Amino acid sequence: MISFGVSAGPSTRPSPGPSTRPSPGSSARPSPGSSPGPSSSPGPSAFPLALEIQTTTACNSGCVICPHHEVRPGGTGGDMDETLFARIIGECAPHQSGLRIIPYLNAEPLMDPWFPHRLELIRSLCPRAEVEVSTNVSLLNEKVRRELGKGPLRELRLSVFGFTPGTHKKMMPGLDWPVVRRHLNDLVADKPFRAGVGEISLVMIDHPWVPESETRMAADFCAEHGLRFHLWGFLDRAGNVRRFSHLTRHERVVGCRQGRPFERLHIRHDGIVILCCQDWRSTVVLGDLRRQSVAEVWRSAEYERVREAVRGGEEPQPEVCRRCQLAVTP
């Protein structure tokens, strides 16, 4: 699976045993700070409470619930320049207390050849920041675990959309289930690694192609090995997953259930800042960190104009918000 910054919506399926079902958001815990309500949304903080940084655009899983293969045909894109990444993390340093750094956005972060170095830079410049990583597990071998286990890693999410070879291949056709299962087994047995990670969770999606029996298998696996389990409902990524689109289109939006424009900055690999992780096609561009600082983009008049539109103001509302299941409506 591509590692999404916003989780799928709530599942309609009964929760199988020891699972948790968060409100639809990127975390089982609320995102840093409190999500603003519809029209009474407060102004943004002086600096984002979280940054989602696309260190690479690559992904190897080909998930059927994801638009990556349409948006990035043939794997087009690239990796974030190290100098740009270092400058972004450097800007975070004075604000690191209470800050969450998420070094992935709509991609598989472990495909980034510089990922270990990027984690080391975060450790060096922002040791008090919370770091969140999500992966499809296919590349989570012992060497990678050693790097991740050096900390600080507040949360590690394992995206596993099927618990038998057939279903897993159907949902994540680019991956090899025996490899994924071996990495899962190795991970749960790796006590030194687990001691260095705040929380490890396994995420499944409530989708018609995933039998309830496999959801229970995954939940039981988590219960046996002390992992958190999440069953999240399917989001069509604001209509970008055309094969399974919910055909949502709101007449009017008065807020965001996750408060994304008010709390998070979403940064593409090339430094372009977009509205949120649902905006796969970059329809709302809010700045360019190759030419601006994080603070300049975050406090810009353009960003505030879009925030006011999301609050339900008079400005034309972003089409991506009107198509999003996470929008607040009147």
Side-chain angles (χ1 to χ4, degrees), residues 268 272-275 279 282-288 302 306:
R268 289 190 337 195
I272 297 296
V273 176
I274 59 174
L275 180 58
D279 193 6
S282 302
T283 61
V284 182
V285 172
L286 298 167
D288 184 347
E302 176 61 16
V306 172

Side-chain angles (χ1 to χ4, degrees), residues 74 76 84 94 117 162 183 207 270:
T76 55
L84 175 59
H117 173 70
H183 288 169
H207 188 276
D270 55 3

Side-chain angles (χ1 to χ4, degrees), residues 3-321:
S3 306
F4 298 110
V6 173
S7 74
S11 165
T12 56
R13 185 183 298 178
S15 180
S19 69
T20 58
R21 196 184 76 186
S23 60
S26 72
S27 298
R29 61 190 284 282
S31 57
S34 55
S35 293
S39 347
S40 59
S41 300
S45 56
F47 196 81
L49 299 177
L51 289 87
E52 297 188 26
I53 307 170
Q54 188 178 54
T55 68
T56 183
T57 62
C59 186
N60 58 344
S61 60
C63 293
V64 298
I65 62 167
C66 173
H68 187 275
H69 61 286
E70 295 181 23
V71 177
R72 298 285 180 191
T76 55
D79 304 324
M80 178 173 281
D81 176 78
E82 289 187 83
T83 301
L84 175 59
F85 182 82
R87 183 164 63 78
I88 292 169
I89 300 304
E91 287 190 59
C92 292
H95 310 277
Q96 61 184 284
S97 295
L99 178 69
R100 177 164 284 218
I101 298 175
I102 306 166
Y104 66 89
L105 174 64
N106 295 349
E108 168 52 49
L110 300 188
M111 293 194 73
D112 174 9
W114 301 105
F115 198 67
H117 173 70
R118 299 189 202 275
L119 291 180
E120 179 60 38
L121 187 65
I122 295 172
R123 283 193 290 267
S124 173
L125 298 181
C126 298
R128 297 190 303 278
E130 293 187 349
V131 179
E132 171 193 321
V133 173
S134 179
T135 175
N136 61 36
V137 191
S138 65
L139 302 174
L140 193 57
N141 56 34
E142 182 178 4
K143 181 180 178 181
V144 173
R145 291 200 308 274
R146 294 287 77 79
E147 292 296 332
L148 292 178
K150 292 177 182 178
L153 189 58
R154 170 62 180 81
E155 188 172 355
L156 175 65
R157 295 184 187 164
L158 312 173
S159 299
V160 183
F161 303 157
F163 229 67
T164 63
T167 299
H168 191 269
K169 178 60 70 173
K170 194 173 184 179
M171 293 292 292
M172 308 175 87
L175 305 185
D176 185 349
W177 170 246
V179 172
V180 170
R181 184 57 195 258
R182 183 173 70 249
H183 288 169
L184 284 174
N185 291 341
D186 291 345
L187 181 150
V188 297
D190 190 341
K191 292 182 180 179
F193 169 72
R194 296 186 63 176
V197 180
E199 177 180 297
I200 303 176
S201 60
L202 188 149
V203 176
M204 291 193 82
I205 300 297
D206 187 0
H207 188 276
W209 291 6
V210 182
E212 288 190 41
S213 59
E214 293 193 35
T215 302
R216 182 162 294 280
M217 287 169 63
D220 290 345
F221 176 85
C222 291
E224 178 182 355
H225 297 290
L227 308 183
R228 289 178 68 89
F229 176 73
H230 302 305
L231 176 63
W232 284 340
F234 166 66
L235 281 179
D236 67 2
R237 308 296 155 186
N240 282 297
V241 185
R242 293 168 178 168
R243 183 176 186 180
F244 298 107
S245 176
H246 297 297
L247 301 178
T248 298
R249 193 174 190 282
H250 309 295
E251 288 299 316
R252 186 164 175 261
V253 171
V254 295
C256 172
R257 288 163 63 187
Q258 294 303 305
R260 289 297 186 252
F262 310 95
E263 297 181 348
R264 293 196 178 199
L265 200 71
H266 300 79
I267 308 166
R268 289 190 337 195
H269 74 290
D270 55 3
I272 297 296
V273 176
I274 59 174
L275 180 58
C276 83
C277 60
Q278 304 295 294
D279 193 6
W280 277 81
R281 301 175 194 278
S282 302
T283 61
V284 182
V285 172
L286 298 167
D288 184 347
L289 295 183
R290 293 169 297 187
R291 300 173 178 85
Q292 299 166 277
S293 70
V294 169
E296 285 172 344
V297 173
W298 184 246
R299 301 172 186 171
S300 69
E302 176 61 16
Y303 219 132
E304 185 51 37
R305 183 193 69 77
V306 172
R307 289 187 186 105
E308 184 59 28
V310 174
R311 290 187 187 102
E314 296 303 318
E315 294 283 354
Q317 297 191 304
E319 187 66 19
V320 67
C321 297

